[in-house]
Amino acid sequence: MTNQQQPKSNADFDAIVIGAGFSGMYTLHSLRDKLGLNVTLFEAGNGVGGTWYWNRYPGARCDSDSYIYCYTFDKNLLQEWNWSERYPEQDEILRYLEHCAERFELKPDIQFGKRVVAITFDDETTLWTVRTDKGDTVTSRYVIAAVGSLSTANVPPFKGLGSFKGKWYHTSQWPHEGVDFTAKRVGVIGTGATAVQAIPEIAQQAKHLTVFQRTPNFCVPARNGKVDPEISKARKADYNGVRERIKNSFFGFELNFIPKSVLQTTPEEREKEFDRMWDDGGFGFWLANYQDMFFSKEANDVIADYLKRKIRATVNDPVVAEKLVPKTYPYGTKRQPLDTNYFETFNKKNVLLVDASTDGPIEEITPNGIRAGGKEYPLDIIVIATGFDALTGPLKNLGIKGRGGKALTDEWKDGPLTYLGLLAAGFPNLFMITGPQSPSVLSNMPVSIEQHVEWITECIRYMREHKLTTIEATPQAQEQWVAHVAEIAGATLMPQANSWYMGANISGKSRQFLPYLCPEGVGGYRKKCAEIAERGYEGFMFDGVSRTETTESRAAE
Ligand SMILES: Cc1cc2nc3c(=O)[nH]c(=O)nc-3n(C[C@H](O)[C@H](O)[C@H](O)COP(=O)(O)OP(=O)(O)OC[C@H]3O[C@@H](n4cnc5c(N)ncnc54)[C@H](O)[C@@H]3O)c2cc1C
């Protein structure tokens, strides 16, 4: 369709945003207040906050430093908000997002308690029809899926779960009134980043805690604490600098790799560096270690050895310590948990570790507890900390049907197909924020979220200025992008772990590296996206015609 044939938009909305976390809230603000679009937002929960609305388990807090785990697009907001801790708890982050919702007057345009269940593209009108579980049917020119990367709970199909006489909870669907563990026998299933936060807290309250571990994790100390007012003042004075540094960094933090191979160091030299990173706490050990850590198994082994020694030195019982030492995958290839007394917790008398490889895997959930390795462990409460159907799960659940009625679930049955993780061929005007094949979960996410929201806003501005109706990826650009993402991941150690990055935590999910590890970091990815836009949205089609063809036909006219 050419420009002249553009249908007059008689849609209910210019844009529909799905999800009211960091992504959706900024998208609503940006499209409504910068572009003047008529926008509505559907959110399944009954409040804003996304991750921080749902994940209310004991110990829930962020692992990014608070001064950068926030929006940076508004200078006044940066100056007026004060974080209490290096890693604030869930309720403080939720209060911050509530504050943002009030500050930018977002709530009047958010429809809470409505889950989007179907999104269908109409080839004639080129509009999307969006349906919710509450019976809404509305049309829109643009749909922005701000549904989160970690918002679809993974509850493994444990045999007998329904028969359990006690209570069970998934950590991301935690009751708002909290859970009282006093005098209870509690079982926690899982030992990922969430469990590493929750286990020490639950162990303090419960009568007895049994931890069911499938794969042990490397942990580094969080070293949480109150924010020093002087440091906070200095950061506020330098927020322009902070913003520029994180935007152009590798992972969206003020962290940089040590620019040499660990194999070129003496044991004394590297031990000193490891001690420094260990004492600093936080993601530095993971994301600012020697530069060959993610590429060379030999280098990785040297670094992993330091963390293994720490586990053995912390856990009193050598048999328990050995169960807690990771042995089956390279360090850093799974999401790094930050811990506060995690390994120490296994020294407590009321804590028992049941390890799938040495004690036997979970066989079933019984009316009275969990049976693993032929033994029943009696429990009153089960906490399921098994994470998420990451990155693709929330998008697949939207019931998306694009051009010609093609279902996204069919198109993506062997893995996601996107261009830049922003748009997909055959699904015009359906933007994803931190979608698969973008840096997303491999970054400090607010940095990546702001980049996507701003890119999408400029793209829609461009389309409106040029009277263009639809944008989508060309199949060629998409094919090349998917191959590029896989090639880069293949050059690292990342595929060697059965991680959720690889989709390996979900049975039947195709195995491939889901986020994009840009060789030039999030700064490089940002540049790439900007250059593509500057070159007239190279690799995209407007109104079903590639940008080059549109320009050529215009020139001919
Ligand atoms: C426990 C935990 C700790 C984390 N810590 C960090 C950290 O330290 N640093 C970091 O960078 N990232 C962290 N993350 C990742 C975190 O998800 C992001 O930082 C950020 O909150 C994502 O924001 P979002 O708006 O993209 O997605 P979300 O916050 O997940 O919000 C998505 C929203 O979409 C809604 N939604 C989904 N599907 C539908 C539908 N069909 N219809 C209607 N609504 C829908 C959901 O209800 C949800 O509210 C953490 C994640 C978890 C789970």
Side-chain angles (χ1 to χ4, degrees), residues 249-270:
S249 68
F250 206 93
F251 291 113
F253 295 84
E254 287 198 274
L255 295 170
N256 293 303
F257 289 118
I258 302 171
K260 73 198 281 194
S261 163
V262 71
L263 302 172
Q264 288 164 352
T265 60
T266 63
E268 295 73 28
E269 181 188 346
R270 59 186 176 242

Side-chain angles (χ1 to χ4, degrees), residues 388-407:
F388 303 91
D389 182 352
L391 288 115
T392 51
L395 292 163
K396 284 184 166 183
N397 284 347
L398 287 172
I400 299 168
K401 290 209 171 125
R403 280 197 194 280
K406 268 194 191 153

Side-chain angles (χ1 to χ4, degrees), residues 7 30 82 98 111 129 132 188 229 231 246 305 343 377 463 467 520 537 541 544-545:
S30 188
N82 293 305
E98 279 280 351
Q111 304 191 43
T129 301
T132 75
V188 172
I231 294 181
I246 59 177
D305 177 66
F343 292 116
Y377 298 86
M463 288 174 70
K467 300 202 171 7
E520 295 87 32
Y537 292 88
M541 291 190 283
V545 182

Side-chain angles (χ1 to χ4, degrees), residues 348-365:
K348 288 173 91 103
K349 287 204 170 54
N350 68 332
V351 177
L352 174 72
L353 178 66
V354 177
D355 172 51
S357 2
T358 50
D359 302 306
I362 293 177
E363 286 146 6
E364 62 172 329
I365 298 192

Side-chain angles (χ1 to χ4, degrees), residues 269-285:
E269 181 188 346
R270 59 186 176 242
E271 196 74 3
K272 212 168 133 204
E273 286 288 8
F274 294 155
D275 285 345
R276 179 188 56 77
M277 290 185 275
W278 178 265
D279 293 343
D280 285 350
F283 279 151
F285 202 98

Side-chain angles (χ1 to χ4, degrees), residues 19 21-23 43-44 50-51 54 57 62-64 69 116 147-148 398 445:
F22 267 102
S23 300
E43 165 56 55
T51 291
W54 295 105
Y57 58 85
C62 59
D63 290 331
S64 295
Y69 191 66
V116 170
V147 288
L398 287 172
M445 291 196 71

Side-chain angles (χ1 to χ4, degrees), residues 18-25 42-45 47-55 57 60-65 69 87 97 114-117 146-152 172 193-194 197 253 283 335 388 394-395 397-398 433-434 440-441 443-446 449:
I18 309 166
F22 267 102
S23 300
M25 288 170 58
F42 289 116
E43 165 56 55
V48 298
T51 291
W52 307 103
Y53 172 87
W54 295 105
N55 290 263
Y57 58 85
R61 55 177 77 246
C62 59
D63 290 331
S64 295
D65 284 70
Y69 191 66
Y87 312 106
L97 289 166
K114 291 183 174 179
R115 182 171 290 281
V116 170
V117 290
V147 288
S149 312
L150 303 170
S151 61
T152 300
S172 75
T194 285
Q197 290 182 335
F253 295 84
F283 279 151
R335 161 61 152 83
F388 303 91
L395 292 163
N397 284 347
L398 287 172
I433 310 233
T434 70
S440 68
V441 289
S443 66
N444 175 40
M445 291 196 71
I449 288 169

